[in-house]
Amino acid sequence: QVAFTARVARSIASLLRTSLQERSLGGRLRLCAAWQAEEDGRVPSGRVIMDDRAVHLGIEPLGAGTLVTVMWEHVPALVLQLESATAV
């Protein structure tokens, strides 16, 4: 189970939305690294890892080291879910 605060969910949604516009894996990895560096102070135990096939999300200690994997083709739906969950 992974839980996010509304602020973290919005931040991850923004990262993912921007990443979807980036065509190269290298560009996505740079965006992710910049996001992670910025979030480390706010969410030191959270992380987003990207590879060519998927995005892997984890928030410690809730996930106890577990990453939730979302294939790139499903990331648009994840973005919509994160955004709609924080719109309430």
Side-chain angles (χ1 to χ4, degrees), residues 6-22 31-32 35 38-39 48 50 72 75 78-80 82-83 86:
R7 193 202 62 75
V8 172
R10 280 190 300 273
S11 180
I12 290 172
S14 177
L15 166 66
L16 296 177
R17 184 175 291 283
T18 304
S19 296
L20 286 169
Q21 296 170 9
E22 183 65 48
L31 289 169
C32 187
W35 178 88
E38 186 175 315
E39 288 296 315
V48 176
M50 296 180 179
W72 278 110
V75 169
L78 175 61
V79 170
L80 292 175
L82 290 170
E83 289 174 343
T86 63

Side-chain angles (χ1 to χ4, degrees), residues 23-36:
R23 295 196 181 270
S24 73
L25 177 59
R28 287 177 176 179
L29 294 176
R30 282 188 293 280
L31 289 169
C32 187
W35 178 88
Q36 192 70 58

Side-chain angles (χ1 to χ4, degrees), residues 1-6 8-9 12 43 45-46 57-63 68 82:
Q1 180 179 8
V2 176
F4 301 118
T5 65
V8 172
I12 290 172
V43 188
S45 55
L57 307 168
I59 295 291
E60 303 276 354
L62 295 176
V68 174
L82 290 170

